[in-house]
Amino acid sequence: MKLLIAVIQDKDSNRLSNALIKEGFRATKLASTGGFLRAGNTTFLIGIEDDRVQQALDVIRSNCKVRDQLVTPVSPVSGAADSYIPFPVEVQVGGAAVFVLPVERFEHF
């Protein structure tokens, strides 16, 4: 058995949730916040049998899209803030960061 931890962008959350349900996967959704963009994310916890891991990864891959987004860097904490001029920078966001962990034991009550 494996535990998939998938951190995705909020924009893909409903689409992924519906796709997981359609394919018969049960998941727990948690609200989370990313450290780089300080934007909302959704973290899915998915307990799954070993032979269905690739199928779950395929569902995640097909429902979580990478996109470009303009962000304004956060001003520096120290130093000369009066000379700091923030210019928007285009970065790639979205997609999914998925961790696959072995589960030694699972209990369901």
Side-chain angles (χ1 to χ4, degrees), residues 37-54:
L37 297 176
R38 295 184 176 92
N41 291 328
T42 301
T43 300
F44 284 83
L45 303 177
I46 307 165
I48 191 167
E49 298 82 13
D50 289 345
D51 61 337
R52 294 194 71 202
V53 170
Q54 189 57 52

Side-chain angles (χ1 to χ4, degrees), residues 7-13 15-16 57-69 91-97:
V7 181
I8 67 163
Q9 194 174 32
D10 278 343
K11 290 181 180 180
D12 296 325
S13 175
R15 182 174 49 249
L16 178 58
L57 292 173
D58 291 342
V59 171
I60 295 168
R61 182 179 294 111
S62 65
N63 286 280
C64 300
K65 304 297 180 193
V66 174
R67 57 187 69 80
D68 293 327
Q69 178 176 323
V91 296
Q92 281 193 338
V93 298

Side-chain angles (χ1 to χ4, degrees), residues 74-84:
V74 178
S75 62
V77 175
S78 63
D82 57 338
S83 65
Y84 177 75

